[in-house]
Amino acid sequence: MGYLLKLNGMSLLYAFVLFVHIELMMNVYRIERLTGWTDAGKLIDAAQVLIFICFTVLLFIINRRWIGKQKWRYVTTILWFPYLYALIRSFAALYPITNPQEVPLPAVGLIALGEMVVFPLYVAAIQFFSRDFAAAFNTKG
Protein backbone atom coordinates (compact mmCIF):
# COMPACT_ATOMS: atom_id res chain seq x y z
CA MET A 1 0.00 0.00 0.00
CA GLY A 2 2.84 2.38 0.78
CA TYR A 3 4.41 1.87 -2.64
CA LEU A 4 1.10 2.65 -4.31
CA LEU A 5 0.86 5.94 -2.41
CA LYS A 6 4.42 6.82 -3.39
CA LEU A 7 3.67 6.00 -7.02
CA ASN A 8 0.60 8.24 -6.97
CA GLY A 9 2.54 10.98 -5.20
CA MET A 10 5.19 10.90 -7.91
CA SER A 11 2.50 11.04 -10.59
CA LEU A 12 0.97 14.06 -8.88
CA LEU A 13 4.35 15.79 -8.84
CA TYR A 14 4.86 15.05 -12.53
CA ALA A 15 1.42 16.46 -13.29
CA PHE A 16 2.16 19.53 -11.19
CA VAL A 17 5.26 20.31 -13.28
CA LEU A 18 3.26 20.32 -16.50
CA PHE A 19 0.33 22.10 -14.83
CA VAL A 20 2.51 25.01 -13.71
CA HIS A 21 4.04 25.29 -17.17
CA ILE A 22 0.68 25.23 -18.95
CA GLU A 23 -1.02 27.66 -16.59
CA LEU A 24 1.84 30.15 -16.76
CA MET A 25 1.73 29.94 -20.53
CA MET A 26 -2.06 30.31 -20.70
CA ASN A 27 -2.35 33.18 -18.22
CA VAL A 28 0.25 35.66 -19.44
CA TYR A 29 -2.46 38.27 -19.99
CA ARG A 30 -3.84 37.84 -16.49
CA ILE A 31 -0.41 38.12 -14.93
CA GLU A 32 0.31 41.27 -16.93
CA ARG A 33 -3.00 42.81 -15.87
CA LEU A 34 -2.67 41.89 -12.20
CA THR A 35 0.98 42.90 -11.79
CA GLY A 36 1.01 45.85 -14.15
CA TRP A 37 4.16 44.62 -15.90
CA THR A 38 4.11 45.48 -19.58
CA ASP A 39 6.51 42.75 -20.68
CA ALA A 40 5.77 39.87 -18.33
CA GLY A 41 6.22 37.27 -21.09
CA LYS A 42 10.00 37.25 -20.79
CA LEU A 43 9.88 36.89 -17.01
CA ILE A 44 7.35 34.09 -17.31
CA ASP A 45 9.53 32.28 -19.83
CA ALA A 46 12.53 32.55 -17.51
CA ALA A 47 10.42 31.35 -14.58
CA GLN A 48 9.18 28.37 -16.59
CA VAL A 49 12.71 27.28 -17.45
CA LEU A 50 13.87 27.70 -13.85
CA ILE A 51 10.87 25.80 -12.47
CA PHE A 52 11.34 23.01 -15.01
CA ILE A 53 15.03 22.57 -14.12
CA CYS A 54 14.39 22.66 -10.36
CA PHE A 55 11.53 20.19 -10.56
CA THR A 56 13.53 17.87 -12.81
CA VAL A 57 16.29 17.66 -10.22
CA LEU A 58 13.75 17.28 -7.40
CA LEU A 59 11.83 14.55 -9.23
CA PHE A 60 15.05 12.74 -10.04
CA ILE A 61 16.06 12.67 -6.36
CA ILE A 62 12.60 11.76 -5.04
CA ASN A 63 12.13 9.10 -7.68
CA ARG A 64 15.42 7.46 -6.77
CA ARG A 65 14.42 7.32 -3.09
CA TRP A 66 10.71 6.52 -3.32
CA ILE A 67 10.20 4.43 -6.41
CA GLY A 68 13.47 2.56 -6.78
CA LYS A 69 14.08 -0.12 -9.39
CA GLN A 70 10.69 -1.80 -9.53
CA LYS A 71 8.95 -2.20 -12.89
CA TRP A 72 5.79 -0.48 -11.64
CA ARG A 73 7.58 2.88 -11.76
CA TYR A 74 6.78 3.14 -15.49
CA VAL A 75 3.07 3.36 -14.66
CA THR A 76 3.72 7.01 -13.85
CA THR A 77 4.19 7.67 -17.57
CA ILE A 78 0.39 7.33 -17.84
CA LEU A 79 -0.81 7.99 -14.29
CA TRP A 80 0.11 11.69 -14.34
CA PHE A 81 -2.67 12.49 -16.84
CA PRO A 82 -5.70 12.17 -14.49
CA TYR A 83 -3.91 14.36 -11.95
CA LEU A 84 -3.17 16.98 -14.61
CA TYR A 85 -6.80 16.95 -15.68
CA ALA A 86 -7.96 17.41 -12.07
CA LEU A 87 -5.49 20.24 -11.47
CA ILE A 88 -6.50 22.11 -14.64
CA ARG A 89 -10.22 21.68 -13.98
CA SER A 90 -9.92 22.82 -10.37
CA PHE A 91 -7.84 25.86 -11.39
CA ALA A 92 -10.40 26.78 -14.05
CA ALA A 93 -13.21 26.46 -11.51
CA LEU A 94 -11.42 28.52 -8.86
CA TYR A 95 -10.18 31.25 -11.23
CA PRO A 96 -12.58 31.58 -14.16
CA ILE A 97 -11.86 33.99 -16.99
CA THR A 98 -14.06 37.02 -16.36
CA ASN A 99 -12.42 39.43 -18.80
CA PRO A 100 -12.80 38.41 -22.48
CA GLN A 101 -9.42 39.98 -23.25
CA GLU A 102 -7.69 37.38 -21.08
CA VAL A 103 -8.72 34.42 -23.23
CA PRO A 104 -5.54 32.72 -24.48
CA LEU A 105 -4.85 32.42 -28.18
CA PRO A 106 -5.82 29.13 -29.89
CA ALA A 107 -2.19 28.39 -30.75
CA VAL A 108 -1.36 28.21 -27.05
CA GLY A 109 -3.75 25.28 -26.72
CA LEU A 110 -1.98 23.47 -29.55
CA ILE A 111 1.35 24.02 -27.84
CA ALA A 112 -0.09 22.61 -24.61
CA LEU A 113 -1.41 19.55 -26.46
CA GLY A 114 2.01 19.02 -28.03
CA GLU A 115 3.62 19.21 -24.59
CA MET A 116 1.19 16.63 -23.26
CA VAL A 117 2.08 14.27 -26.11
CA VAL A 118 5.83 14.59 -25.43
CA PHE A 119 5.56 14.63 -21.63
CA PRO A 120 5.44 10.81 -21.18
CA LEU A 121 8.89 10.65 -22.76
CA TYR A 122 10.16 13.12 -20.16
CA VAL A 123 8.65 11.03 -17.35
CA ALA A 124 10.10 7.81 -18.76
CA ALA A 125 13.52 9.45 -19.13
CA ILE A 126 13.54 10.52 -15.49
CA GLN A 127 12.44 7.03 -14.46
CA PHE A 128 15.13 5.39 -16.57
CA PHE A 129 18.03 7.64 -15.60
CA SER A 130 17.20 7.69 -11.90
CA ARG A 131 17.26 3.88 -11.91
CA ASP A 132 20.64 3.81 -13.69
CA PHE A 133 22.04 6.48 -11.38
CA ALA A 134 20.97 4.51 -8.32
CA ALA A 135 22.52 1.32 -9.73
CA ALA A 136 25.76 3.03 -10.77
CA PHE A 137 26.41 4.57 -7.38
CA ASN A 138 25.01 1.63 -5.42
CA THR A 139 22.61 3.82 -3.46
CA LYS A 140 19.39 2.87 -1.79
CA GLY A 141 16.51 2.51 -4.26
Side-chain angles (χ1 to χ4, degrees):
M1 184 67 164
Y3 186 75
L4 183 64
L5 290 175
K6 291 177 183 180
L7 201 63
N8 281 297
M10 283 298 299
S11 299
L12 180 62
L13 287 174
Y14 284 126
F16 186 73
V17 171
L18 189 58
F19 167 74
V20 168
H21 181 72
I22 289 173
E23 289 301 327
L24 282 175
M25 184 173 53
M26 294 276 189
N27 293 309
V28 172
Y29 298 121
R30 285 182 176 184
I31 294 169
E32 285 180 353
R33 182 180 58 85
L34 291 174
T35 60
W37 299 336
T38 57
D39 196 17
K42 292 179 183 176
L43 292 172
I44 290 173
D45 290 341
Q48 286 176 336
V49 169
L50 185 65
I51 289 169
F52 184 76
I53 291 170
C54 291
F55 266 100
T56 300
V57 171
L58 179 71
L59 288 170
F60 183 80
I61 293 168
I62 291 174
N63 188 31
R64 193 172 44 131
R65 291 193 180 153
W66 280 6
I67 305 300
K69 299 177 187 176
Q70 296 184 11
K71 296 287 183 190
W72 278 98
R73 72 182 179 280
Y74 290 112
V75 172
T76 58
T77 57
I78 299 169
L79 195 57
W80 61 269
F81 187 74
Y83 290 112
L84 178 67
Y85 181 77
L87 287 170
I88 290 175
R89 293 292 291 194
S90 62
F91 186 83
L94 290 174
Y95 302 105
I97 295 177
T98 56
N99 188 352
Q101 294 177 342
E102 294 175 351
V103 175
L105 299 172
V108 177
L110 288 175
I111 293 170
L113 284 174
E115 290 175 351
M116 287 192 288
V117 168
V118 175
F119 196 70
L121 297 174
Y122 166 75
V123 173
I126 288 181
Q127 296 290 341
F128 180 75
F129 289 122
S130 66
R131 177 197 60 153
D132 285 350
F133 185 82
F137 290 98
N138 200 10
T139 60
K140 181 183 176 196

